[in-house]
Amino acid sequence: MKFILTVALSMVFASLTLVSVRAGQCPEGRAGSAIDDRAPTTNYLVETEELDVIDLGKEKVNIPNHNLRMRTITVQPGGHVLLHGHENRPALALVTQGEFLEYSNECSIPVEHKEGDVINENSRVQHWVKNNGDVPAVLTVTDIVDLNDTQQGNFK
């Protein structure tokens, strides 16, 4: 009986792990684009704060004119971050508060990102996010910034 209970608990924990790995990702079979002509071209109710920066030209990796940057992006309820890409600015964005809906060129439906989810913003991604919740939604973003690129993701 003890063995059966152990196996059953192991299966439950394994299934929970599989669910958490899939959280915040495009569901299987839904590849495509959720971007249409309603995508915003300006930010609304968005605040950014730079937390720190490293000049990568002065580091062992020696990438001149590039910074490794960490910042927070806070989107108030009803607010959104404009449609943008990451061709020259790869980033990882951790949802540290609230929830976001992400509309991207990689998934045919909006993807919900909750606290603890990471949004992978690679060079192929075009996307925008919206806060449909009742509390401010916060991303802690680490990105590599090309100092020669004047767009910088359309906001600093």
Side-chain angles (χ1 to χ4, degrees):
M1 182 67 172
K2 193 174 188 180
F3 174 75
I4 294 171
L5 182 59
T6 302
V7 169
L9 285 174
S10 296
M11 291 174 70
V12 168
F13 287 122
S15 67
L16 288 174
T17 302
L18 288 175
V19 169
S20 67
V21 168
R22 298 187 61 96
Q25 301 300 316
C26 186
E28 190 172 324
R30 298 308 301 249
S33 180
I35 297 173
D36 59 25
D37 58 359
R38 294 173 289 177
T41 57
T42 60
N43 289 327
Y44 179 65
L45 299 174
V46 176
E47 302 159 5
T48 63
E49 177 186 0
E50 188 170 276
L51 302 174
D52 211 343
V53 66
I54 296 173
D55 180 345
L56 294 177
K58 296 179 180 176
E59 296 297 318
K60 190 173 182 177
V61 294
N62 191 22
I63 308 172
N65 300 311
H66 286 76
N67 285 344
L68 177 61
R69 171 180 67 178
M70 180 180 277
R71 62 190 171 142
T72 58
I73 300 173
T74 303
V75 182
Q76 297 300 322
H80 57 257
V81 173
L82 68 121
L83 175 64
H84 64 282
H86 290 267
E87 297 85 5
N88 293 325
R89 193 176 50 86
L92 294 172
L94 173 66
V95 180
T96 52
Q97 179 180 308
E99 299 178 4
F100 288 94
L101 273 181
E102 178 190 22
Y103 298 78
S104 86
N105 63 333
E106 295 189 325
C107 191
S108 63
I109 60 171
V111 174
E112 184 176 53
H113 296 282
K114 297 182 178 191
E115 190 172 324
D117 287 350
V118 174
I119 303 173
N120 183 314
E121 301 174 328
N122 60 63
S123 63
R124 298 175 306 281
V125 171
Q126 294 280 323
H127 67 159
W128 64 281
V129 295
K130 182 177 183 179
N131 178 358
N132 281 340
D134 297 329
V135 299
V138 180
L139 291 169
T140 299
V141 181
T142 301
D143 57 1
I144 297 176
V145 181
D146 179 347
L147 299 175
N148 295 321
D149 180 357
T150 58
Q151 291 296 308
Q152 307 280 332
N154 297 306
F155 57 96
K156 294 190 185 240

